[in-house]
Amino acid sequence: MLVVALDTSTDMLACAVAAWTPGRDGARADVELLASRDHLCRRRANVELVGTVQTALEDAGKHVSDVDAFLVGRGPGSFTGVRIGISTAKGLARGANVALQGASTLDACAWTAWRAGVRGLVGVAGDAMRGEIYPALYAVEDEGPRRLFERERVVKAAAAVEEWADRADRGELQLTGDGLVRYGRLFEEAGLMARALSRELWWPSGEGLLLAAAGTGIGGGVEAGDPALVLPIYTRLSDAEENERKRLGLAQSAASEVTGVADELAGRHLQLRPMGSADVEAAAALDDACFADANHAPWSAQLFLSELSDDVAAPRSWWVAHDNGQIVGLAGGMVVDTDVQILDVAVAPERRREGIARKLLSHVSYDAQMLGCTSASLEVEAGNEGAIALYEALGFERCGLRRGYYGPGADACVMVAQLPLVLPVDAASPEPTAAAARTWPLSAPARTPEERERIAARELVLAIESSCDETAVAVIDADGALLANQVSTQIDFHARFGGVVPEIASRKHVEVMVGVVDAALEEAAASLGLADPIAPSELACVGVTQGPGLVGALVVGVAFAKGFAFAAQKPLVAVNHLEGHLFANKLTTPDLEPPFIFTLVSGGHTMLVHVRAWGDYEVLGETLDDAVGEAFDKVAKALGLGYPGGPIISRLAETGDPKAIDFPRALNSRGDYRFSLSGLKTAVTLYIENEAKAGRALHLPDLAASFEAAVFDVQYKKAKNALRETGAKEYCIGGGVAANPHLRRMMIEKLSRQGIRVTVPPTNACTDNAAMIAVVARERYLRDEFAELDIDADPNMTL
Ligand code: KG4
Ligand code: ZN
């Protein structure tokens, strides 16, 4: 087998090509190094990685189509570095339809030392930044390094120094790892540097990674390996999660009360939230309905309440799903060391098969991960095949039977899963194929020659969007027909933080990217009446959002797309996300032609643009402070309405009076195209405070409608003025806020009356999506405007 190994978890861009002979009967594989291109490359991994893979393959006299498997370093290491490596590797393996295997970067360091002839006690100190390191001890023997630890962890550098300095065998300890660059002095002061390895060994090598994977201890060999299943090694949480962990540790949910707000929003949509003490009666009733016929007793309200109390011995996580204010599902777990024991899962019988249990379990297990768990376990009645199948789809495996657990003759099946679980994608969009269940690589699609011709004639463009908190993939054809449009939203994961947490966003992109691509390739095939999913080799081109957006989120899409395009041997197109919001209008009005005026209102941008020609954008004005979407989100947060604020406020506004409260309209003079929203936000906050002081209840619909009116009046007036001033006869709008029905209606009605043709994108193409990216990618593809494989994410791109 031809195997390509890559690792960008550290400043070393490790890359090697090897001939790999699998070992028989669990023996180590034989690795013959054919080429190696390891080199230090600080902060340029995304620029250089795919090119380096290509060069290494050339050195070995091979082509990417010869590769049988990719191998990637899963860290731990620099978060962005690990993500670039893993995302690129996922793209490579998915694009070439070959296996992807992961291995620990720390193990790769130990094997790099072994390869250099080092034997004895070796301490790898990986740099974890922020004053921390990943300490890992190995007994390096002739057969190879043996781990003296169970799982990777992160500690303060000083703590690691102390730990190792206290060892009786400290005199034999040979240090290595890139943490020595920054913290070498600390180790030196403790007298531990005397036997440090020479500096060129401090980073992992491609060969070291190959040797680490060749053992039986790590993974199952490179023959297996669905790229959807390879994840970074997690050792630390983001600050937001760390705070959330504390909150969960205190079990504050018991004190939280359901506000009156929930009633006004009831019936709007299915939502998940942590269980509160006000939920326990409903939870007990649901449990009763679910387990009336079961062999075990349902949970009582009292029992649920005790779970939520402050003095539980072990941390708990309980979640409910509600619709119409009614609890339709619940799940909870208890943390015992590094295992979360799932205590109860119940979904209302009439709401089964909607993926509610999967979503609930993913939240409980995510909390558990935040609390340091690496596995989840549960008991299920041995005869309950439906539940067992559900758990298996989430990655649980049967590992034992407890005879008579639920009473005489009623056995419990014990199941265990590694975390993270195989996560579901949002119920609003079809779930991607359960990666755990499929054989990999996929078999080549069965096609007749006519079908092959038909696909080629369509010139399919696949587009990827990952700039914020939606992982989205779409497929469009050369005529502009949208064949697939998949969005996996992470909103549930950010909602409890009241906004997008960049670290969680980029982590989630890595977790779901392959699944969303798979779903899009399946949907595209279905749209064409084909049974087998579109293969990467059947595409014409790959497009990806390059910026602007969250850098950690963008790099995942860009790295994946580059790997995917290179492996599938397809050209790459880079897309500006803002242009995507503009081009979404072409989905509604294909003959839209400049010159026209365009309003961009999203979570990050507020702009009034004179589009003189395609690609020739005159930005007439931007916001001086908050973006419009941001203002919606902040107002919703101030009202305790949850995240994102836009949809919630617009639903409330449906029944409100826009004239009820007179909020200020900023920078409202003619000729001024700038926007300012922070004053309005302050006015709303003050209003809320004053009403509370006066003891008056808020009329939320009036408040929402009045807030909207203040925002949209300004938008309308400035657009109208810009149309007058430029003489343009066309107007269009884009961005998440353009999904707002009141804004859409207002622009269409008022501007049409003045003889302006108004276009609004389809509602689902306003909030972040890949269809709009696909529209831009298609145009660029038709004009041969391709990107090189050394592009990087550009978080600050403008129009
Ligand atoms: O374009 P988008 O999905 O992401 C960015 O590129 O920023 O915009 C997201 C923003 C969020 O602030 C959200 O609150 C807002 O769009 N939004 C809305 C509505 N739906 C989403 N704002 C007002 N009314 C809506 N119906
Ligand atoms: Zn956007």
Side-chain angles (χ1 to χ4, degrees):
M1 295 171 78
L2 187 72
V3 179
V4 175
L6 48 127
D7 187 338
T8 56
S9 310
T10 69
D11 282 347
M12 178 66 72
L13 192 167
C15 178
V17 179
W20 174 286
T21 316
R24 271 197 215 143
D25 306 325
R28 290 182 55 79
D30 184 56
V31 174
E32 184 199 339
L33 194 69
L34 302 180
S36 161
R37 282 274 170 175
D38 299 342
H39 65 281
L40 283 169
C41 102
R42 198 170 154 66
R43 296 191 179 278
R44 285 177 51 84
N46 206 12
V47 173
E48 295 187 17
L49 184 52
V50 176
T52 305
V53 168
Q54 185 167 19
T55 322
L57 279 166
E58 280 163 18
D59 290 350
K62 302 287 183 187
H63 187 255
V64 63
S65 56
D66 302 325
V67 177
D68 297 296
F70 290 92
L71 170 65
V72 67
R74 296 170 54 212
S78 119
F79 284 11
T80 308
V82 172
R83 274 185 203 117
I84 289 168
I86 293 195
S87 303
T88 307
K90 282 180 183 245
L92 288 165
R94 185 63 186 85
N97 189 29
V98 300
L100 177 64
Q101 181 77 22
S104 158
T105 300
L106 298 173
D107 289 348
C109 279
W111 278 97
T112 302
W114 176 86
R115 184 73 180 82
V118 175
R119 298 294 181 269
L121 185 65
V122 169
V124 180
D127 189 355
M129 325 288 174
R130 299 205 278 178
E132 294 178 318
I133 63 165
Y134 306 110
L137 278 183
Y138 295 84
V140 181
E141 293 148 4
D142 284 342
E143 306 77 59
R146 188 159 48 77
R147 280 178 169 219
L148 300 177
F149 61 98
E150 248 173 54
R151 73 179 170 113
E152 288 80 356
R153 65 202 173 103
V154 67
V155 297
K156 288 261 168 280
V161 171
E162 208 181 300
E163 202 179 303
W164 287 353
D166 282 350
R167 292 182 65 93
D169 53 5
R170 53 173 288 167
E172 295 158 36
L173 185 60
Q174 307 167 76
L175 293 188
T176 185
D178 67 336
L180 298 181
V181 176
R182 215 184 293 243
Y183 309 110
R185 209 177 35 82
L186 287 181
F187 288 99
E188 178 90 65
E189 283 162 12
L192 290 170
M193 282 300 276
R195 305 194 59 197
L197 305 186
S198 67
R199 194 181 167 102
E200 69 272 13
L201 293 175
W202 289 0
W203 289 268
S205 62
E207 188 181 16
L209 192 67
L210 286 155
L211 292 169
T216 45
I218 314 149
V222 287
E223 305 85 338
D226 183 335
L229 299 181
V230 174
L231 293 176
I233 292 173
Y234 298 124
T235 57
R236 186 172 60 198
L237 308 165
S238 66
D239 293 342
E241 288 170 306
E242 200 50 64
N243 293 336
E244 181 69 354
R245 188 188 66 78
K246 290 190 191 116
R247 187 189 73 77
L248 286 164
L250 294 171
Q252 268 177 7
S253 52
S256 75
E257 282 168 32
V258 176
T259 64
V261 165
D263 297 336
E264 282 180 79
L265 287 171
R268 308 295 188 169
H269 56 322
L270 184 75
Q271 270 196 332
L272 275 77
R273 57 172 167 75
M275 187 187 288
S277 47
D279 297 322
V280 298
E281 294 292 342
L286 174 67
D287 220 50
D288 209 35
C290 290
F291 299 113
D293 304 330
N295 288 306
H296 64 279
W299 285 58
S300 66
Q302 198 49 46
L303 203 50
F304 279 121
L305 200 58
S306 66
E307 282 290 303
L308 300 175
S309 84
D310 280 350
D311 44 16
V312 285
R316 312 293 163 112
S317 165
W318 282 91
W319 282 78
V320 293
H322 68 99
D323 197 349
N324 205 4
Q326 199 180 354
I327 306 291
V328 295
L330 63 87
M334 166 174 71
V335 172
V336 180
D337 295 330
T338 58
D339 185 60
V340 55
Q341 302 184 355
I342 305 297
L343 299 172
D344 192 12
V345 183
V347 173
E350 69 279 9
R351 301 300 297 263
R352 303 246 161 99
R353 315 207 65 82
E354 287 179 36
I356 296 174
R358 295 174 55 127
K359 281 191 129 193
L360 285 163
L361 276 172
S362 76
H363 280 73
V364 171
S365 69
Y366 200 79
D367 283 348
Q369 248 186 298
M370 298 203 295
L371 294 163
C373 291
T374 53
S375 64
S377 58
L378 54 80
E379 276 110 22
V380 54
E381 288 195 22
N384 190 346
E385 287 304 324
I388 290 175
L390 162 76
Y391 297 137
E392 281 176 344
L394 286 165
F396 282 89
E397 285 175 6
R398 302 180 205 220
C399 69
L401 209 60
R402 296 228 166 109
R403 296 238 173 261
Y405 183 79
Y406 294 116
D411 302 337
C413 172
V414 185
M415 303 185 80
V416 179
Q418 295 305 305
L419 297 182
L421 297 182
V422 179
L423 290 174
V425 160
D426 181 56
S429 58
E431 290 185 17
T433 1
R438 66 180 174 183
T439 37
W440 188 266
L442 302 172
S443 45
R447 306 267 193 252
T448 64
E450 296 77 49
E451 284 172 343
R452 232 172 261 139
E453 232 167 75
R454 193 151 60 83
I455 296 169
R458 289 282 193 137
E459 297 180 86
L460 303 179
V461 177
L462 176 111
I464 297 171
E465 151 68 32
S466 74
S467 67
C468 191
D469 60 345
E470 324 274 0
T471 320
V473 180
V475 177
I476 203 168
D477 73 6
D479 291 332
L482 192 63
L483 303 178
N485 188 14
Q486 295 283 332
V487 186
S488 163
T489 177
Q490 313 170 349
I491 282 174
D492 273 350
F493 287 94
H494 300 282
R496 58 190 145 142
F497 302 111
V500 176
V501 182
E503 167 55 25
I504 297 176
S506 87
R507 186 186 288 190
K508 291 275 141 210
H509 288 307
V510 176
E511 287 172 7
V512 305
M513 183 59 80
V514 172
V516 184
V517 167
D518 291 340
L521 292 172
E522 280 168 29
E523 191 191 346
S527 301
L528 293 171
L530 302 164
D532 292 349
I534 299 293
S537 58
E538 293 175 313
L539 297 169
C541 147
V542 179
V544 66
T545 302
Q546 187 179 11
L550 301 170
V551 64
L554 287 165
V555 291
V556 174
V558 170
F560 179 90
K562 292 198 298 177
F564 187 88
F566 171 66
Q569 303 173 63
K570 303 296 169 188
L572 180 74
V573 168
V575 175
N576 180 328
H577 179 88
L578 303 181
E579 237 181 342
H581 279 306
L582 167 61
F583 277 64
N585 286 285
K586 285 207 163 197
L587 292 167
T588 313
T589 309
D591 66 348
L592 184 70
E593 272 307 324
F596 56 80
I597 295 296
F598 167 58
T599 295
L600 174 59
V601 271
S602 71
H605 292 84
T606 301
M607 285 182 172
L608 191 63
V609 186
H610 179 205
V611 178
R612 290 188 286 221
W614 292 117
D616 179 6
Y617 308 118
E618 181 192 3
V619 178
L620 299 172
E622 290 187 73
T623 178
L624 302 175
D625 36 62
D626 292 347
V628 171
E630 199 178 352
F632 272 84
D633 295 338
K634 285 183 176 169
V635 166
K637 194 173 177 177
L639 289 166
L641 292 174
Y643 171 86
I648 306 173
I649 289 183
S650 73
R651 282 179 198 130
L652 283 169
E654 278 165 23
T655 54
D657 173 8
K659 297 206 178 73
I661 311 157
D662 188 21
F663 287 126
R665 275 80 166 147
L667 303 175
N668 210 8
S669 63
R670 178 172 283 195
D672 189 348
Y673 294 121
R674 297 168 308 162
F675 301 89
S676 169
L677 287 122
S678 66
L680 172 59
K681 182 199 66 199
T682 311
V684 175
T685 324
L686 271 178
Y687 176 84
I688 300 170
E689 280 172 22
N690 288 339
E691 292 298 290
K693 268 193 216 131
R696 283 191 292 268
L698 285 178
H699 192 278
L700 283 173
D702 282 354
L703 177 63
S706 303
F707 164 73
E708 277 196 350
V711 176
F712 297 159
D713 275 354
V714 178
Q715 290 296 330
Y716 164 70
K717 284 218 184 83
K718 289 189 198 284
K720 183 184 72 175
N721 291 341
L723 284 159
R724 282 228 183 107
E725 195 182 310
T726 59
K729 288 279 166 265
E730 291 236 32
Y731 172 80
C732 62
I733 191 164
V737 184
N740 185 292
H742 311 113
L743 179 60
R744 295 160 76 88
R745 206 179 312 138
M746 173 178 190
M747 292 298 190
I748 293 171
E749 283 174 7
K750 291 195 170 178
L751 292 176
S752 302
R753 251 182 262 144
Q754 297 160 42
I756 305 290
R757 180 167 81 154
V758 178
T759 299
V760 295
T763 314
N764 67 351
C766 290
T767 46
D768 287 347
N769 65 91
M772 66 186 198
I773 304 303
V775 177
V776 183
R778 166 187 167 267
E779 304 252 340
R780 302 214 132 176
Y781 162 74
L782 293 174
R783 288 200 302 265
D784 285 343
E785 287 173 12
F786 298 118
E788 298 297 327
L789 293 173
D790 63 358
I791 59 161
D792 201 350
D794 181 355
N796 302 316
M797 260 174 144
T798 51
L799 260 188

